[in-house]
Amino acid sequence: MANVVVVGAQWGDEGKGKIVDWLSERADIVVRFQGGHNAGHTLVIGGTTYKLSLLPSGVVRPGKVGVIGNGVVVDPWALIAEIDRLREQGVAVSGESLRIAENATLILPLHRELDQMREEAAGAGKIGTTGRGIGPAYEDKVGRRSIRAQDLKNLGTLGPKVDRILAHHNALRRGLGKAELDKDQIIAELSEIAPKILPYIDVTWDLLDRERKAGKRILFEGAQGALLDIDHGTYPFVTSSNTVAAQAATGSGVGPRAVGYVLGIAKAYTTRVGSGPFPTELFDDVGQLIGEKGHEFGTVTGRARRCGWFDAVLVRQTIKVAGIDGIALTKLDVLDGFKELKICVGYDLDGERIDRLPAGQNAQERVKPIWETFEGWSQSTCGARSWAELPAQAVKYVRRIEELIGCPVTLLSTSPERDDTILMKDPFED
């Protein structure tokens, strides 16, 4: 048995929620290891839709344990609101089903405010953040001035820690022409939310070590996608954390050998939310039609996603940097009915063919896709649960993707319903 890491192989929004839910039935523990409530997973179970942002997908399944690891930045107010929404849908979230790492960094209201103020001040230079304070919270973590979950246990010691964080933030606010923050108000807000968060706090690295040694199956759930990785993504249009599989170990407190099979999730086409390079983006009616058929709107932001053809160059690159063993290809059914499909097989950069996305921002903006064109299919793939149910051209399309990315498609999703899935390999049986 292998523990499994699920990561996005594009710019996020690849359909990880369904795949993680599908895999969580086979897992005992589901761990979030990076990001925050800027992520969004939509699960459709028995006709009921659940929208998760911060909670691990396993919390909607009885008997599973969800863990928010130390690599996650946690907004306590957003977390409690999400737990309350799930309870209204009949999902009980308790201290037994959810554990939060004691050393996880907290997102405070001042982080959200700074995030939004910076985007407003950036004008045309916006990077398209969700405005939820993720980046500023990670900055404070690296700057060694953050408030962590464990600090809520000792409210009497918060004073000096709040002084330290305000010495930084009030200087920034003065520079942006904003009013300074009050220390007592921040302490009062944290004191009010602390009793609601404390029942979930635990030494999660020790919990995971014990459960792993006991033979429990662990599913590590990534947020966003590898192309949004702070090191390996399309910088600076990236998120503020590492989104590749290696972060599963660092962000949850387990050794790298505890991380087993890495499953990458990729759409059968490409989407992106927010600013940044997108070589295969379509600005015509085809791109609009893909967006309409795929219901391409962000789970968290509601923003329309930019749409384009499948980019094999980028997925091949993320497979290498993220250590992906197999791909789960999602939303194949969205391509039903197109007479012609295209796949990007290389880039033209100033007249030279290249087979990777360059790291430089200006070079990324100049690359042009080199296309390979495919005949489409008119039959429906929606709901297919075996290869035999797929049109021949759809099979050819998937097989060609495998060749171009150098990685097997081990799982194929043909609708938002969890059971509409074709499995070639169970990732837990590595």
Side-chain angles (χ1 to χ4, degrees):
M1 278 192 316
N3 296 322
V4 176
V5 183
V6 174
V7 295
Q10 294 162 317
W11 278 294
D13 306 308
E14 301 96 347
K16 291 184 293 296
K18 169 189 169 173
I19 302 301
V20 168
D21 174 63
W22 191 85
L23 290 169
S24 69
E25 191 172 48
R26 296 158 172 75
D28 301 297
I29 303 168
V30 183
V31 184
R32 272 286 306 276
F33 58 84
Q34 50 79 216
H37 65 305
N38 55 339
H41 290 166
T42 300
L43 312 179
V44 181
I45 305 173
T48 301
T49 299
Y50 302 96
K51 292 184 180 293
L52 305 180
S53 293
L54 188 55
L55 290 169
S57 296
V59 299
V60 300
R61 297 204 162 276
K64 311 295 182 182
V65 177
V67 173
I68 296 177
N70 56 275
V72 179
V73 285
V74 180
D75 183 322
W77 295 272
L79 176 62
I80 294 304
E82 189 172 336
I83 289 172
D84 289 343
R85 286 195 300 272
L86 278 185
R87 283 178 176 159
E88 290 175 0
Q89 290 186 278
V91 177
V93 180
S94 67
E96 286 71 42
S97 62
L98 175 67
R99 312 306 293 163
I100 302 171
E102 62 175 1
N103 51 340
T105 291
L106 298 183
I107 298 176
L108 309 182
L110 58 85
H111 293 125
R112 295 195 300 270
E113 292 174 15
L114 178 59
D115 207 355
Q116 293 163 9
M117 287 188 296
R118 281 176 170 171
E119 280 288 89
E120 291 171 4
K126 291 180 180 180
I127 61 173
T129 77
T130 59
R132 283 164 168 73
I134 309 299
Y138 274 117
E139 290 175 37
D140 282 347
K141 176 180 180 178
V142 175
R144 293 166 292 184
R145 56 181 170 264
S146 63
I147 306 297
R148 303 201 292 177
Q150 63 188 3
D151 294 324
L152 298 179
K153 297 178 179 179
N154 303 292
L155 296 174
T157 66
L158 277 178
K161 295 175 181 178
V162 174
D163 285 335
R164 180 174 175 81
I165 200 169
L166 285 185
H168 176 77
H169 279 266
N170 278 338
L172 291 175
R173 294 175 72 94
R174 287 193 297 270
L176 291 167
K178 303 294 183 180
E180 295 189 18
L181 296 167
D182 180 68
K183 170 184 175 180
D184 292 337
Q185 181 180 347
I186 292 173
I187 293 176
E189 290 172 342
L190 288 170
S191 299
E192 183 180 1
I193 197 69
K196 299 179 182 179
I197 296 294
L198 287 174
Y200 303 105
I201 295 175
D202 199 356
V203 185
T204 55
W205 63 264
D206 189 47
L207 167 69
L208 292 173
D209 182 66
R210 294 196 312 269
E211 299 288 29
R212 182 176 64 84
K213 289 177 178 176
K216 298 294 180 66
R217 289 178 168 182
I218 303 174
L219 179 62
F220 297 92
E221 175 184 12
Q224 290 94 33
L227 291 171
L228 293 174
D229 186 275
I230 188 68
D231 290 299
H232 302 289
T234 48
Y235 190 91
F237 303 100
V238 293
T239 194
S240 302
S241 61
N242 287 111
T243 59
V244 294
Q247 179 65 17
T250 306
S252 59
V254 301
R257 291 184 180 177
V259 176
Y261 189 90
V262 180
L263 181 67
I265 317 296
K267 283 177 181 169
Y269 49 97
T270 310
T271 64
R272 176 166 199 168
V273 170
S275 307
F278 186 172
T280 66
E281 184 173 9
L282 296 170
F283 300 95
D284 56 11
D285 292 342
V286 173
Q288 183 176 345
L289 181 58
I290 290 174
E292 291 171 356
K293 292 182 67 176
H295 305 289
E296 295 297 350
F297 296 92
T299 300
V300 171
T301 64
R303 290 182 291 182
R305 297 175 185 137
R306 301 153 63 190
C307 297
W309 294 121
F310 187 84
D311 192 330
V313 180
L314 283 182
V315 175
R316 181 172 63 242
Q317 188 166 322
T318 60
I319 283 167
K320 293 177 181 179
V321 300
I324 292 170
D325 298 303
I327 285 287
L329 196 66
T330 65
K331 291 199 166 185
L332 181 67
D333 55 301
V334 174
L335 299 182
D336 293 352
F338 285 93
K339 292 182 179 180
E340 184 179 272
L341 307 173
K342 292 184 179 181
I343 296 177
C344 176
V345 297
Y347 297 136
D348 180 295
L349 178 60
D350 303 331
E352 177 187 358
R353 177 168 178 150
I354 60 174
D355 294 313
R356 60 176 177 81
L357 187 68
Q361 183 179 347
N362 291 334
Q364 289 176 355
E365 294 171 352
R366 297 199 310 276
V367 297
K368 305 297 182 185
I370 298 172
W371 299 113
E372 192 169 295
T373 303
F374 288 83
E375 178 186 347
W377 55 89
S378 58
Q379 307 97 309
S380 174
T381 64
C382 186
R385 299 183 182 182
S386 71
W387 281 105
E389 297 176 53
L390 295 177
Q393 284 302 123
V395 174
K396 289 180 182 178
Y397 181 77
V398 174
R399 293 306 187 198
R400 183 56 178 154
I401 284 176
E402 289 181 315
E403 294 172 355
L404 290 168
I405 65 177
C407 185
V409 172
T410 58
L411 191 149
L412 192 63
S413 173
T414 57
S415 93
E417 291 292 336
R418 65 186 305 276
D419 291 330
D420 292 340
T421 306
I422 302 172
L423 177 67
M424 282 69 80
K425 174 182 173 56
D426 187 338
F428 279 115
E429 301 298 333
D430 189 21

